[in-house]
Amino acid sequence: MWLVRIDAKIAALQQRQAEAERGRRNRPQPPEWVVELGIGTGRPPLQVHVGDCYMAGKRRRAVGRDEARRLLADGLRACTHCRPDAQLDIIDLSDGSTPPRSSRRRLKDTVDDSHSPATGQRARPIRTGLPGQPGRPLRHVPAQDP
């Protein structure tokens, strides 16, 4: 009785391994080049990747070599991990033709000029570059009694 169960388990494992090997052999090859697509109407292309790049998102479509070269030449950003521009021999993209990463303004920490080190008060960092709130302090400093 035990021998029959052991033989059945061995046969099931051998069958499972054979099926896995057939699946590996019959799996289609990954595409050579992939375009990552954006969200929304029309799904605009975002980046060009090599076909097996691990950084390519879920929304993507396969493209040919010529279309990948055309998209990169038109200013589409190349993946910084798999570097399709180097593999496609397009090396003159560093002239600023790629779009900027973000159009948001950055906060800059500066020193408020109304406080000088000569008076003994510490200079306070202030926010600049915020619409509608120029010169607002980053933190509240209590007033000193005279």
Side-chain angles (χ1 to χ4, degrees):
M1 181 145 166
W2 285 98
L3 194 55
V4 173
R5 288 183 186 173
I6 293 172
D7 287 342
K9 286 282 188 179
I10 291 173
L13 284 173
Q14 287 175 345
Q15 182 180 0
R16 192 177 312 148
Q17 288 174 350
E19 288 174 358
E21 182 60 33
R22 267 196 309 274
R24 270 189 235 104
R25 278 196 314 262
N26 295 336
R27 181 178 297 151
Q29 292 293 322
E32 195 173 358
W33 309 103
V34 174
V35 173
E36 185 176 355
L37 302 173
I39 300 174
T41 308
R43 292 190 171 200
L46 298 177
Q47 281 186 343
V48 178
H49 298 270
V50 176
D52 59 351
C53 179
Y54 61 92
M55 289 298 293
K58 299 289 183 187
R59 295 174 310 273
R60 56 186 168 191
R61 69 178 168 93
V63 294
R65 182 179 184 87
D66 293 335
E67 187 174 357
R69 288 177 62 90
R70 183 186 55 79
L71 288 170
L72 287 171
D74 287 346
L76 193 63
R77 198 170 0 153
C79 176
T80 58
H81 294 269
C82 62
R83 302 297 312 256
D85 51 349
Q87 293 185 19
L88 288 168
D89 298 328
I90 300 176
I91 55 174
D92 294 332
L93 293 180
S94 61
D95 61 349
S97 62
T98 57
R101 281 191 149 171
S102 175
S103 62
R104 296 189 314 184
R105 292 183 180 176
R106 297 184 66 157
L107 294 178
K108 292 171 52 179
D109 291 335
T110 60
V111 176
D112 189 0
D113 292 335
S114 64
H115 296 84
S116 71
T119 61
Q121 294 179 341
R122 291 188 318 185
R124 298 182 299 164
I126 60 170
R127 292 183 183 179
T128 59
L130 291 175
Q133 298 178 350
R136 183 174 165 217
L138 288 176
R139 58 186 165 85
H140 177 69
V141 177
Q144 294 179 355
D145 291 331

